[in-house]
Amino acid sequence: MKVVALVGCPNVGKSTLFNRLTKTRDALVADFPGLTRDRKYGRALYDGREYIVIDTGGIAEDAEQPSDLTQRMTSQALLAIDECDLVLFMVDARAGIMPGDYSVADYIRKSGKPCAIVANKIDGLDPDIAGAEFYGLGLGEVYQTAVVHGRGVNILLDEVIAPVLREDGPLDSDIPDDDEYEEVDDLGEDEFGLSEMAKSAHTKAKLRGELDAADDADYDDANDETDDTTEDACDAADASDDLATAALNELLEEQADAVAAKLRRGADESQWEQGFEFLDNVPVDYTGGGYDWHAFREAQRTHAKGEMTEAEKAQAEASTKTPFADLPIKFALVGKPNVGKSTLTNRMLGEERVVVADMPGTTRDSIYIPLERNGQKYIVIDTAGVRKRRKVNEAIEKFSIVKTLKAIEDCNVAILVIDAREHITDQDLSLLSFILDSGRSLVIAVNKWDGLTQEFKDEIKKELDLRLGFVDFARVHFISALHGTGVGNLFDSINEAYESATRRNSSSTLNRVLQAATQEHEPPVSGGRRIKLKYAHAGGYNPPRIIIHGNKVSKMPDSYKRYLINCYRKSLGIMGSPIILEFKEGENPYANQKPAQKRLTQSAQRAERRKAETQRRYARAASKAERAQNRAIAEAKRTGAGVVLKKRPKAKSGSK
């Protein structure tokens, strides 16, 4: 996979171009120099080919920051140049050539890496003269861009990045599609037209690496056979035009089917396609030998009962023991500023990967770094320090805190780094609360443990027991990131916490633990009736979520919930990960049908009788009025006299 590095002086738009190429907002962007300090890697995709983009800090002297910090930032950018395949040297077209540009150009020239100068911020400038002075750096062509608005980025991709990516093979746009080939009806001009189209499809599959040498040989044999068949068809055409046309069409169809079958034949062909066919859901062996009919029938009977075979049980058990085994473990180093997170990151990686300085707030962004140790893959996330809200004044620090909190939610295990010389502060407890609310696994690392007196160490341990007693499930390590003392033991706790958080526990195991816990200590009584817990089952993982069904579980006190959590933690061996219990109570369909609830008091019965009597009086009055009206109508019909209406009906609309 090709690597592209973005280097240049501060505030020339490297992070903006990084976000534009990766189509993300991972890199922090602000309109002031010196924001990016560490190397940040991102994945980008162009025309079906993936490559890596490296965002680096500015290479220039800055009077507002310490010289050692500037030197470390410069070394990080130079390391990116050494490990990349293409260097994009970004300059500011408005500011012109800066003093640091010459030193960067000399280093790129000595490295021998392919380079292109990107003159950024040309919006509002004359395109004929903008960036012309940068040809004096002697690094080749200058490409004019306005990365904020996306101008010139496509030209940069097509003319600079695409040639480097083609070194690993053709891009998607370089491989012709089948639609570009058209059949010609004339027999003399396109005698082998279909064969050429099939060859183009074969060539396209071969370029993409979908066919191996054996398939290529099979294709050549099939093509030779089809060519001989086509020659025979042409000889027959000389005898009779009508017969030749019909025979040629038939042979061309057979040719297309044969070539298509050869192209479709590959590694994905299953065992049943090679030798077996299914007739009425029964396999028939045409090749003979090697088929266990008894095993097939036993598996069919087992599946009919809704059970699993022994092989399927073994596979399920293996997947239960090692869930997510192919995924790396992501752990984040979080804590207050200047507690040693970046130093601990470099110590774990064994190299100076991130910038470290003896000043708070050195790290401003969350850096994701892959790591492999003893065959296990990890992703280390170095985060910015989080201070109290009242102390945060700069806008960029607010974005850094947001990125840190997002990294906590994104990781599998959070390592809370505490400064032993500053004791445990309220800010540490606030971060700890956010980690627990996010459901992340937890490991506590007390840093700067070297050089402390034994009396001071005992005092710190007592304070940990006093203030962090509610997270007794988390491992506590006393380390020195500067000297490496105790750092290796962190990986054991990380693996343990991750395995505990992602372990699959069956419903039978959870029910046995619940039954043992309720027998040892019954649930409390609420409202004169004892709370009843019926059964439990798993509701999720990372963190483990257990759902318990029962009666009156909404009245369950917190003390008994903690008791159940401790029982599950002790029985299942869960360490480093919080356990979430959810209680569900089923609805009683006969809740409103109980005799005690249907029985009415005497006052309610009297009210019901009064209501019924009133309704009967109204009914008798309405019936009496209806009978009188009917008698009046009958009398009017008998005598021929009209009925006098009390109210004149309203006239219809439109009538006069």
Side-chain angles (χ1 to χ4, degrees):
M1 188 180 296
K2 296 298 182 180
V3 180
V4 179
L6 309 178
V7 298
C9 291
N11 203 28
V12 295
K14 298 184 295 297
S15 298
T16 307
L17 181 58
F18 177 87
N19 291 340
R20 179 74 66 173
L21 294 178
T22 59
K23 297 181 180 180
T24 61
R25 301 180 63 182
D26 292 342
L28 292 177
V29 177
D31 193 13
F32 66 87
L35 175 60
T36 304
R37 291 175 175 173
D38 300 296
R39 283 179 291 162
K40 190 173 185 66
Y41 291 73
R43 290 179 176 267
L45 184 67
Y46 175 73
D47 203 359
R49 184 60 54 82
E50 193 175 15
Y51 62 98
I52 297 177
V53 185
I54 308 177
D55 184 20
T56 62
I59 306 176
E61 295 292 336
D62 191 355
E64 297 182 357
Q65 64 184 13
S67 58
D68 60 340
L69 178 59
T70 303
Q71 184 179 0
R72 293 175 184 272
M73 293 170 56
T74 303
S75 63
Q76 292 289 324
L78 299 182
L79 287 175
I81 296 176
D82 294 336
E83 65 182 12
C84 72
D85 300 301
L86 173 65
V87 180
L88 295 183
F89 183 21
M90 297 195 66
V91 293
D92 192 344
R94 297 182 178 180
I97 298 179
M98 304 297 292
D101 292 337
Y102 291 104
S103 59
V104 178
D106 292 339
Y107 190 87
I108 296 174
R109 194 178 298 107
K110 293 178 182 179
S111 66
K113 297 296 179 67
C115 177
I117 300 178
V118 182
N120 194 24
K121 304 180 182 180
I122 64 165
D123 42 331
L125 302 180
D126 188 357
D128 296 332
I129 61 175
E133 60 177 321
F134 296 107
Y135 285 98
L137 296 175
L139 293 178
E141 186 66 25
V142 178
Y143 295 88
Q144 301 177 359
T145 61
V147 180
V148 175
H149 307 292
R151 292 174 52 191
V153 178
N154 292 332
I155 298 177
L156 186 67
L157 288 169
D158 296 337
E159 299 183 5
V160 179
I161 297 180
V164 177
L165 299 180
R166 286 190 177 94
E167 296 177 1
D168 292 339
L171 304 178
D172 286 351
S173 59
D174 299 334
I175 303 176
D177 296 330
D178 293 339
D179 298 338
E180 299 179 5
Y181 296 89
E182 299 179 357
E183 294 188 50
V184 181
D185 295 333
D186 190 358
L187 178 62
E189 295 180 359
D190 196 26
E191 182 178 356
F192 305 99
L194 187 57
S195 179
E196 293 297 331
M197 184 170 63
K199 289 179 181 178
S200 67
H202 178 269
T203 304
K204 182 176 180 180
K206 187 175 181 181
L207 287 174
R208 288 179 172 170
E210 297 175 357
L211 299 178
D212 53 9
D215 295 330
D216 198 3
D218 293 340
Y219 169 78
D220 294 336
D221 296 340
N223 200 16
D224 294 340
E225 295 175 0
T226 53
D227 291 341
D228 296 338
T229 307
T230 307
E231 291 178 0
D232 296 339
C234 293
D235 295 338
D238 296 336
S240 175
D241 294 340
D242 297 335
L243 295 176
T245 303
L248 182 60
N249 292 334
E250 182 179 358
L251 291 173
L252 289 178
E253 292 179 359
E254 293 178 359
Q255 169 188 336
D257 296 338
V259 175
K262 291 292 183 181
L263 293 176
R264 287 196 300 268
R265 185 177 302 166
D268 58 344
E269 193 173 6
S270 64
Q271 180 182 3
W272 298 113
E273 293 175 350
Q274 294 177 1
F276 298 93
E277 290 184 2
F278 276 92
L279 299 177
D280 296 332
N281 207 21
V282 177
V284 180
D285 186 1
Y286 288 109
T287 60
Y291 181 71
D292 191 353
W293 174 258
H294 177 72
F296 172 78
R297 295 298 299 172
E298 289 295 330
Q300 198 174 39
R301 295 189 187 97
T302 305
H303 291 161
K305 297 178 182 179
E307 301 176 355
M308 294 189 301
T309 61
E310 296 297 332
E312 293 173 345
K313 290 180 180 179
Q315 184 179 2
E317 185 178 357
S319 63
T320 302
K321 291 181 179 179
T322 57
F324 311 112
D326 56 338
L327 298 179
I329 302 176
K330 293 188 291 185
F331 63 92
L333 305 176
V334 297
K336 299 186 304 179
N338 203 28
V339 295
K341 298 184 295 297
S342 298
T343 306
L344 181 58
T345 301
N346 291 336
R347 176 62 62 179
M348 288 181 169
L349 298 173
E351 62 173 340
E352 295 295 326
R353 173 61 180 81
V354 293
V355 176
V356 177
D358 192 13
M359 56 175 291
T362 303
T363 305
R364 287 175 170 170
D365 201 352
S366 297
I367 309 298
Y368 290 68
I369 309 168
L371 169 66
E372 185 171 356
R373 177 186 172 91
N374 297 331
Q376 176 63 51
K377 295 182 179 180
Y378 303 90
I379 294 181
V380 188
I381 308 177
D382 185 21
T383 63
V386 180
R387 296 194 297 172
K388 292 184 178 180
R389 183 179 299 178
R390 59 183 176 85
K391 294 184 179 180
V392 178
N393 298 321
E394 298 180 359
I396 190 60
E397 188 174 357
K398 296 180 181 179
F399 287 106
S400 300
I401 293 175
V402 171
K403 298 278 283 188
T404 299
L405 300 182
K406 181 181 178 182
I408 293 175
E409 296 177 347
D410 188 33
C411 71
N412 302 117
V413 182
I415 301 180
L416 179 62
V417 183
I418 300 176
D419 192 347
R421 291 176 170 82
E422 296 184 1
H423 297 274
I424 300 175
T425 62
D426 295 339
Q427 184 63 15
D428 295 328
L429 298 178
S430 299
L431 284 173
L432 182 59
S433 176
F434 185 83
I435 293 172
L436 296 179
D437 292 342
S438 301
R440 304 299 95 186
S441 301
L442 176 66
V443 177
I444 300 176
V446 183
N447 193 22
K448 304 181 182 179
W449 195 247
D450 52 321
L452 300 179
T453 62
Q454 188 62 38
E455 182 181 359
F456 192 81
K457 291 181 179 180
D458 295 339
E459 183 181 352
I460 292 296
K461 291 181 180 179
K462 291 180 181 179
E463 187 177 3
L464 287 172
D465 294 337
L466 179 63
R467 305 198 65 179
L468 300 182
F470 62 97
V471 287
D472 54 350
F473 59 87
R475 300 287 187 186
V476 180
H477 295 268
F478 302 96
I479 66 171
S480 173
L482 185 61
H483 300 92
T485 306
V487 175
N489 298 329
L490 287 174
F491 289 95
D492 297 334
S493 298
I494 292 172
N495 296 335
E496 180 186 24
Y498 180 74
E499 193 274 335
S500 299
T502 57
R503 184 189 307 161
R504 262 48 174 171
N505 298 307
S506 61
S507 299
S508 59
T509 303
L510 299 179
N511 284 319
R512 284 196 298 267
V513 175
L514 179 62
Q515 184 178 4
T518 53
Q519 288 179 356
E520 182 179 355
H521 183 56
E522 292 186 350
V525 177
S526 176
R529 298 180 60 190
R530 187 173 298 279
I531 300 175
K532 183 179 180 181
L533 303 180
K534 298 180 179 179
Y535 64 95
H537 63 87
Y541 307 94
N542 197 18
R545 189 181 303 271
I546 302 174
I547 300 177
I548 300 177
H549 296 259
N551 294 336
K552 301 190 68 176
V553 292
S554 59
K555 305 295 183 181
M556 181 74 69
D558 295 337
S559 58
Y560 198 80
K561 292 180 181 179
R562 290 191 295 269
Y563 164 73
L564 291 177
I565 290 176
N566 293 332
C567 290
Y568 277 112
R569 188 179 303 280
K570 182 178 179 181
S571 301
L572 302 178
I574 298 177
M575 193 67 186
S577 175
I579 300 177
I580 299 177
L581 292 184
E582 292 185 3
F583 295 90
K584 289 189 176 181
E585 183 174 357
E587 297 181 359
N588 187 0
Y590 303 100
N592 298 326
Q593 302 296 328
K594 296 181 180 179
Q597 296 179 354
K598 294 177 64 176
R599 191 181 304 118
L600 300 177
T601 60
Q602 293 183 357
S603 58
Q605 293 177 4
R606 288 194 295 269
E608 289 291 336
R609 287 196 294 268
R610 288 195 298 268
K611 183 179 179 180
E613 182 63 27
T614 303
Q615 292 178 353
R616 286 195 295 271
R617 284 200 299 267
Y618 278 110
R620 287 197 298 267
S623 178
K624 184 178 180 180
E626 184 179 1
R627 290 196 300 270
Q629 184 178 3
N630 292 336
R631 287 195 299 268
I633 293 174
E635 182 65 21
K637 290 181 179 180
R638 186 179 62 82
T639 60
V643 179
V644 179
L645 298 178
K646 295 182 178 179
K647 294 183 179 179
R648 184 176 182 181
K650 296 181 180 179
K652 296 182 180 179
S653 59
S655 59
K656 297 182 180 179

